[in-house]
DNA sequence: GGCTAGATTGGAAACGTTTCGATTTCTGGC
DNA sequence: GCCAGAAATCGAAACGTTTCCAATCTAGCC
């Protein structure tokens, strides 16, 4: 490879406009046909005679013509773009979900706008506003608060199809959900089976579906076992690292410390582990731990952590498909809600309670 | 909040087209001025008389008019969109970088396409192709192989401004770099100072700048100390988890096991830790470890790992600014290369070599 | 009140495509 | 070789903005 030499001739020109690009008109002129025929050669080649097609293609080739995307958007009234709105792309679950959505969308010619809202309702509203009026054809999103009036209003007035991820809103919007309640019931029952009674759960607030459902599953497990629900150990407020850290610290320092913690949330787990480390507690020796969602840390933390998994690729792919269905135009079906099951992956972070 | 009731009336209509949106023509008609004046009211309000402006604004308000983004793109010949091309958004460093770029760009009205190429040259080429011809105004990217002919060719012919992240290519392209060599020299010297001689480095191949530079810094540290370079412990090939795992496993099983490993790469660290865990080795008791870049795992792995940090926010912001400069049009300056320093953050993963 | 320069406004021409009705060119059967 | 019908092509009208030139208005000055 003689890169150095090869690139020298044009080496010191910074890429920029680089002369006018050929238009469909140029192609028409060069190939001696009308503009309409060139367009049809591109979009419906079977309606143009082979001879003509050849001439057009030759002209396209020689001019290096590529249709201008903006003009196509303008005329076709779409953008082949979809917004993916979440609170934080640094959350590995969101990153995986994005990849699944992207894979599905890209192969159909769509590009994805990624908008990370930092969990702020104002940024959320701004993101939704931005996608309207011809910036995107559809949206896939996880909003931060199912009750925020501003966001609800935006969604109600949204002019493009949308799919909610793991959120539940009293509007007719497609949604892809997770059966968090089942997962938590199962995990909690497992701990109860190991003899745990003082089990804590740290998770999102009840203002979003994952918070509500997880707490519900947690409570149901105790009820099913005929045991009193440890209300004082339910910490349901936020999915943030900080919340996880704060609550875990408090729980670990309490006189009647729990024997197990369910860190029900990706980021929460990080906070919980930080607290565990800071308090010098050992897992599973001093306390049992269950996490939610795969992540580097959950799979690796000195020994894999027992966790409630969910099929993130399926979830992403399904969200993409629901949206594509609507974007393809023909489907006027009522809104659909699809839920995916979780399953418990056994790690080494849980032990039976010593007698 | 009476959500249930409020949303009932429109509740069972799935969002969709929802009637024609008002155009600038409608606004002109309603406010009794010409189309041109409406446009100027929006884009240069100080050139229209206050009275007129009032009428126009009233009409806009009453019609709920918002300019059609596609038409603006068409006419203005831009898209207010920038591509962010990387190999894997699940890499937390990339996620942080994206957020920094996004913050800077969003406040100037740009949206970001995120394209995750999975490190495949074909997807990389496809991504770059896709961004051309009016789909984006510029690109920020980390390509996967600085020697791949296909990618180089794409870059050379790219018609929109671009910024490279941490890559070095013999073309006139803006780039934001990291002084990996300095970081590695420092880290290696630190280990040498602790008495280590059998120090291994696992990092990217020499086909990309981080690989080359890191190995260079590593070698220089030995030379500066007047010590022989442990060539057999330099494993420079890929940034992947798998490579980290494979090489770490081999190193740990070797008869003359190193006393320290530098896991020079975000993902590599995950692989290395997996190997360490599987081999039942303890850090820092059995082996010292240094990582690159902050991540949940580096900060948390039973005790924070000593690591070579770099200012990811500054890097992202700078990349965005370089691009914005070019996009603003007036700057015809030669390509710029800006390098950021690293610094060593002391964790607890290194110990002196016992005599 | 008339004049001029400057400030506002109107109207139309782009921007590059797709699409649709009208027109031309094939094709095959006689 | 002609004709009808089908197939292919042409040409022009959109799509919704911005922008430029020309036309009109306003204010200030004498």
């Amino acid at each position: 490879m003689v890169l150095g030499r090869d690139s020298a001739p044009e080496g010191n020109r910074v890429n920029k406009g680089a002369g006018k690009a050929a238009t469909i008109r140029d192609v028409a002129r060069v190939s001696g046909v009308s503009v309409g025929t060139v367009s049809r050669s591109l979009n419906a080649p079977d309606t143009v005679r082979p001879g003509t097609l050849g001439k057009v293609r030759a002209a396209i080739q020689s001019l290096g013509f590529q249709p201008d995307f903006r003009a196509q958007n303008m005329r076709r009234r779409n953008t082949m773009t979809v917004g993916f709105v979440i609170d934080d792309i640094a959350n590995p679950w969101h990153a995986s979900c994005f990849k699944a959505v992207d894979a599905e969308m890209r192969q159909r010619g769509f590009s994805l706008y990624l908008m990370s809202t930092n969990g702020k309702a104002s940024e959320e509203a701004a993101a939704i506003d931005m996608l309207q009026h011809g910036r995107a054809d559809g949206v896939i999103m996880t909003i931060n608060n199912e009750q925020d009036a501003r966001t609800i209003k935006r969604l109600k007035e949204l002019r493009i199809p949308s799919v909610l991820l793991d959120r539940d809103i009293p509007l007719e919007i497609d949604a892809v959900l997770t059966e968090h309640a089942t997962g938590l019931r199962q995990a909690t029952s497992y701990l109860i089976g190991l003899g745990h009674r003082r089990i804590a759960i740290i998770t999102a607030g009840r203002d979003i579906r994952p918070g509500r459902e997880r707490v519900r599953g947690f409570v149901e497990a105790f009820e099913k076992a005929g045991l009193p629900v440890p209300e004082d150990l339910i910490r349901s407020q936020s999915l943030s690292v900080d919340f996880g850290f704060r609550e875990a610290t408090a729980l670990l320092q309490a006189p009647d410390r729990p024997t197990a913690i369910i860190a029900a949330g990706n980021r929460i787990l990080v906070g919980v582990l930080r607290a565990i480390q800071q308090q010098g507690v050992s897992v599973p020796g001093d306390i049992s731990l269950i996490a939610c969602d795969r992540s580097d840390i959950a799979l690796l933390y000195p020994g894999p952590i027992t966790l409630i998994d969910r099929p993130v690729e399926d979830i992403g792919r399904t969200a993409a498909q629901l949206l594509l269905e609507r974007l393809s135009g023909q489907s006027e079906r009522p809104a659909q809600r699809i839920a995916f099951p979780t399953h418990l992956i056994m790690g080494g972070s849980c032990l039976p309670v010593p007698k």
Side-chain angles (χ1 to χ4, degrees), chain A:
Chain A
M1 190 141 321
V2 248
L3 257 184
R5 207 194 52 188
D6 272 6
S7 61
E10 310 203 1
N12 54 2
R13 179 179 53 68
V14 172
N15 275 311
K16 209 74 177 299
K20 288 255 170 298
T23 76
I24 205 174
R25 228 163 224 113
D26 299 320
V27 177
R29 193 170 27 71
V30 170
S31 54
V33 303
S34 78
V35 172
T37 300
V38 176
S39 178
R40 281 187 358 269
S41 302
L42 291 163
N43 302 309
D46 46 318
T47 70
V48 15
R49 222 153 7 154
T52 316
L53 197 55
K55 285 188 297 181
V56 172
R57 293 211 164 131
I60 288 177
Q61 188 74 27
S62 81
L63 290 170
F65 167 79
Q66 287 272 108
D68 183 283
F69 198 64
R70 290 167 295 230
Q72 289 183 320
N73 289 346
M74 167 85 207
R75 178 60 224 218
R76 294 178 169 158
R77 318 223 45 65
N78 68 9
T79 58
M80 297 308 277
T81 294
V82 162
F84 189 83
V85 182
I86 50 171
D87 63 339
D88 185 7
I89 189 60
N91 177 329
W93 194 84
H94 285 155
S96 300
C97 187
F98 176 89
K99 290 204 297 189
V101 170
D102 189 38
E104 196 72 16
M105 287 288 181
R106 190 102 59 91
Q107 93 190 37
R108 308 278 222 97
F110 285 85
S111 297
L112 260 64
Y113 277 145
L114 175 59
M115 323 190 101
S116 214
T117 62
N118 303 311
K120 296 201 205 106
S122 61
E123 289 199 41
E124 216 163 79
I128 298 176
D129 280 350
M130 200 162 189
L131 293 171
Q132 306 253 38
H133 307 287
R135 195 136 181 174
D137 298 340
V139 202
I140 294 178
M141 64 190 149
T142 289
I143 61 168
N144 224 265
N145 179 328
E146 292 174 1
Q147 266 96 58
D148 184 77
R150 192 162 30 168
T151 306
I152 297 271
K153 181 164 178 298
R154 289 289 189 304
L155 287 181
K156 196 147 101 186
E157 292 165 0
L158 196 56
R159 312 175 64 92
I160 55 180
S162 54
V163 177
L164 282 174
L165 282 177
D166 218 8
R167 295 293 183 272
D168 208 1
I169 284 199
L171 293 174
E172 281 281 310
I173 299 185
D174 289 333
V176 183
L177 308 169
T178 303
E179 289 171 356
H180 292 295
T182 314
L184 251 112
R185 196 159 46 228
Q186 195 181 353
T188 310
S189 297
Y190 167 66
L191 288 171
I192 290 175
L194 288 176
H196 292 275
R197 295 297 177 267
R198 303 262 322 140
I199 305 171
I201 176 175
I202 308 179
T203 194
R206 283 152 170 105
D207 53 349
I208 57 176
R209 192 185 129 98
R212 280 194 305 277
E213 290 294 290
R214 283 168 173 159
V215 170
R216 182 162 73 81
F218 179 79
V219 167
E220 285 175 7
F222 278 93
E223 287 171 348
K224 209 176 75 185
L227 292 168
V229 178
E231 299 284 356
D232 61 316
L233 300 180
I234 300 178
R235 306 298 166 90
S236 162
Q237 181 177 323
S238 150
L239 285 168
S240 71
V241 173
D242 284 350
F243 181 68
F245 177 75
R246 206 165 58 233
E247 295 303 321
T249 302
L251 287 167
L252 291 175
Q253 290 178 334
D256 192 8
R257 177 198 276 188
T259 60
I261 294 182
I262 302 178
N266 221 325
R267 311 309 297 150
I268 288 175
L269 175 67
V270 173
V272 169
L273 289 178
R274 210 170 274 172
I276 283 176
Q277 183 176 298
Q278 188 172 306
Q279 300 292 317
V281 176
S282 101
V283 174
D286 300 329
I287 198 163
S288 289
L289 182 62
I290 290 187
C292 278
D293 299 332
R294 273 159 212 269
S295 63
D296 286 338
I297 234 173
L299 295 174
L300 196 57
Y301 183 77
I305 296 174
T306 296
L307 62 84
I308 302 168
D309 195 29
R310 51 177 161 161
V312 58
E313 283 80 16
D314 293 345
I315 290 175
R317 187 164 353 101
T318 304
Q321 285 164 350
L322 282 176
L323 190 58
L324 285 166
E325 246 179 73
R326 295 235 183 251
L327 291 178
S328 73
Q330 53 252 39
S331 102
E332 205 56 58
R333 58 166 171 69
Q336 220 174 322
R337 295 156 44 91
I338 301 178
F340 281 86
T342 62
H343 77 283
L344 203 58
I345 299 183
M346 291 302 168
S349 61
C350 297
L351 282 183
V353 174
K355 292 282 150 147

